[in-house]
């Protein structure tokens, strides 16, 4: 890949040039599609989408916690203002924590919008699969994808037994979560005993995977429709390669077999956009670690010199256009 062209401070990078945006503009007489983005108030990703959408789409931020539904007659779904019949698409950019009831209602509300003809990216049923590590991994393993050996249980006694079978080293993860939060490596039985007891006392499910020897990097593959980009995430002193934890990023070519697996996973989980994490096995093969249905792209955009926000806006506009009668 070519080197990034240098630019004066404050100027727009080459991959976000105004000329590219002009080439993508709609005629001034066209009505801009209205796109809601479920995002936090200070979300960099919403700001990036808002920038990329200038002249192309009317992008508005929506709070997940503001979702409401009125039933008794045609269902209307709102979030401070009406969404039903007003928005062409909803992009899910955040997944805030909440109780089981809150999470279920949010997914149900998105499913309601989908039934009303609103494009939801990603589809709520697909997100339900992807955000639940156990559910998605079991579905992927059943479909024949190579995933780390994993054990999920509810008691510390069962977890200790599983550690003896999967060990000597395992990675313990929360079923819900991302960016490396709540993940720890356990390679000592006494530590495992304490960790598993604590998780059970907190009412948590114990989700553990056999530790795969870390080569110092993994491969993040971002897939959007039929497009994909590869990024190597490297960490010299930490087995976790999350950029939020100090790992470095560089563009990486995607091996053919990994690209095939990535597209097959997208179809299996019915996803429009996702980040897939692959780990080399040291023998020329790859493990699929997990699938993120609400992937970040800040590091990948910079590493690969690609405007993911603009690509996503284009993708959403094309999907909206295909739905509308001509």
């Amino acid at each position: 890949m070519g080197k990034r062209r240098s630019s004066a401070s404050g100027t727009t990078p080459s991959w976000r040039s105004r000329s590219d945006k002009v080439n993508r503009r709609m005629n001034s007489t066209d009505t801009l599609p209205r796109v809601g983005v479920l995002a936090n108030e200070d979300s960099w990703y919403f700001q990036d989408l808002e920038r990329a959408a200038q002249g192309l789409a009317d992008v508005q931020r929506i709070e997940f916690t503001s979702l409401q539904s009125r039933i008794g007659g045609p269902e209307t779904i709102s979030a401070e203002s009406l969404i039903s019949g007003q928005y062409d698409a909803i992009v899910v950019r955040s997944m805030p924590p909440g109780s089981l009831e809150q999470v279920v209602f949010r997914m149900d509300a998105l499913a309601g919008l989908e039934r009303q003809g609103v494009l939801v990216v990603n589809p709520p049923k697909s997100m339900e699969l992807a955000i639940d590590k156990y559910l998605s991994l079991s579905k992927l393993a059943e479909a024949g994808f190579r995933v780390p050996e994993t054990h999920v249980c509810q008691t510390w006694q069962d977890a200790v037994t599983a550690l003896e079978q999967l060990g000597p080293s395992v990675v313990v993860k929360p079923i819900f979560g991302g960016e490396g939060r709540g993940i720890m490596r356990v390679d000592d039985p006494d530590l495992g005993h304490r960790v598993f007891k604590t998780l059970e006392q907190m009412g948590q499910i114990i989700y553990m995977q056999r530790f795969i020897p870390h080569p110092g990097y993994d491969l993040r593959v971002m897939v959007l429709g039929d497009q994909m980009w590869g990024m190597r995430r490297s960490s010299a002193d930490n087995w976790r390669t999350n950029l939020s934890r100090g790992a470095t990023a560089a563009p990486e070519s995607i091996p053919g077999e990994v690209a095939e697996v990535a597209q097959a996973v997208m179809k299996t989980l019915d996803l429009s956009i996702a980040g897939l994490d692959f780990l080399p096995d040291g023998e020329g093969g790859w493990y699929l670690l997990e699938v993120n249905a609400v992937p970040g792209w800040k590091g990948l955009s910079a590493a690969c010199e690609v405007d993911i926000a603009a690509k996503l806006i284009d993708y959403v506009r094309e999907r909206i256009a295909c739905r509308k009668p001509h």
Side-chain angles (χ1 to χ4, degrees):
M1 184 161 190
K3 294 182 178 179
R4 185 194 301 266
R5 292 191 295 272
S6 61
S7 57
S9 176
T11 60
T12 303
S14 59
W15 45 276
R16 289 184 179 173
S17 66
R18 296 188 64 85
S19 60
D20 288 343
K21 188 178 294 182
V22 169
N23 290 336
R24 300 186 299 112
R25 285 191 186 280
M26 302 168 64
N27 294 329
S28 59
T29 56
D30 290 338
T31 301
L32 297 180
R34 194 171 188 199
V35 179
V37 180
L38 285 161
N40 299 324
E41 185 175 5
D42 58 350
S43 170
W44 177 91
Y45 293 99
F46 170 71
Q47 296 170 11
D48 201 31
L49 288 169
E50 191 176 38
R51 169 199 59 78
Q54 291 179 16
L56 302 170
D58 178 11
V59 171
Q60 302 291 329
R61 189 182 70 85
I62 298 172
E63 286 275 359
F64 243 127
T65 54
S66 297
L67 285 175
Q68 305 176 54
S69 177
R70 176 69 59 89
I71 303 172
E75 182 179 10
T76 56
I77 298 171
S78 61
E80 297 182 353
S81 62
L82 189 64
I83 300 176
S84 299
Q86 303 296 314
Y87 284 80
D88 297 294
I90 297 293
V91 174
V92 181
R93 192 30 263 166
S94 68
M95 187 62 64
S99 67
L100 178 60
E101 285 190 352
Q102 288 173 318
V103 172
V104 168
F105 168 70
R106 293 165 188 171
M107 292 299 102
D108 289 346
L110 291 180
L113 288 171
E114 200 172 42
R115 289 193 301 271
Q116 294 171 12
V118 178
L119 171 68
V120 181
V121 179
N122 279 299
K125 286 297 181 183
S126 301
M127 283 191 295
E128 287 176 10
L129 272 175
I131 64 177
D132 182 337
K133 289 186 176 68
Y134 167 63
L135 185 58
S136 60
L137 200 73
S138 62
K139 187 174 181 66
L140 293 171
E142 183 182 16
F145 298 105
R146 189 186 186 200
V147 299
E149 191 172 354
T150 303
H151 191 93
V152 186
C153 58
Q154 301 180 69
T155 70
W156 68 266
Q157 295 95 332
D158 288 339
V160 167
T161 300
L163 174 60
E164 294 173 354
Q165 297 167 347
L166 295 180
S169 181
V170 299
V171 177
V172 180
K173 303 179 179 181
I175 282 186
F176 303 111
E179 297 184 339
R181 293 187 296 268
I183 297 179
M184 67 180 302
R185 182 178 173 184
V186 173
D187 50 15
D188 177 79
D190 290 336
L191 173 61
H193 188 279
R194 294 194 297 272
V195 168
F196 302 148
K197 269 196 168 181
T198 300
L199 289 173
E200 182 181 349
Q201 291 169 356
M202 294 172 60
Q204 301 293 309
I205 295 296
I206 304 169
Y207 179 101
M208 71 176 81
Q209 294 181 322
R210 184 191 302 275
F211 178 77
I212 300 170
H214 196 290
Y217 73 92
D218 69 2
L219 175 62
R220 161 59 66 96
V221 176
M222 170 78 81
V223 184
L224 172 61
D226 58 2
Q227 305 175 85
M228 67 174 64
W229 303 269
M231 173 178 65
R232 176 185 285 226
R233 302 183 302 185
S234 303
S235 179
D237 54 5
N238 195 326
W239 57 270
R240 290 174 292 190
T241 57
N242 307 89
L243 299 185
S244 60
R245 294 184 174 273
T248 59
E252 181 80 357
S253 60
I254 304 172
E257 65 272 24
V258 171
E260 291 179 8
V261 168
Q263 286 291 7
V265 167
M266 298 295 286
K267 292 179 181 178
T268 299
L269 301 183
D270 192 26
L271 293 166
S272 301
I273 181 173
L276 293 81
D277 294 337
F278 292 89
L279 193 65
D281 64 2
E283 299 177 351
W286 296 84
Y287 285 97
L288 172 62
L289 294 184
E290 59 184 65
V291 180
N292 186 342
V294 189
W297 62 77
K298 189 174 184 179
L300 186 137
S301 282
C304 298
E305 299 186 3
V306 58
D307 193 342
I308 297 295
K311 299 287 187 182
L312 180 53
I313 291 296
D314 284 344
Y315 174 83
V316 170
R317 289 178 59 239
E318 289 169 6
R319 289 282 305 275
I320 291 171
C322 290
R323 288 169 163 235
K324 290 184 175 181
H326 297 284

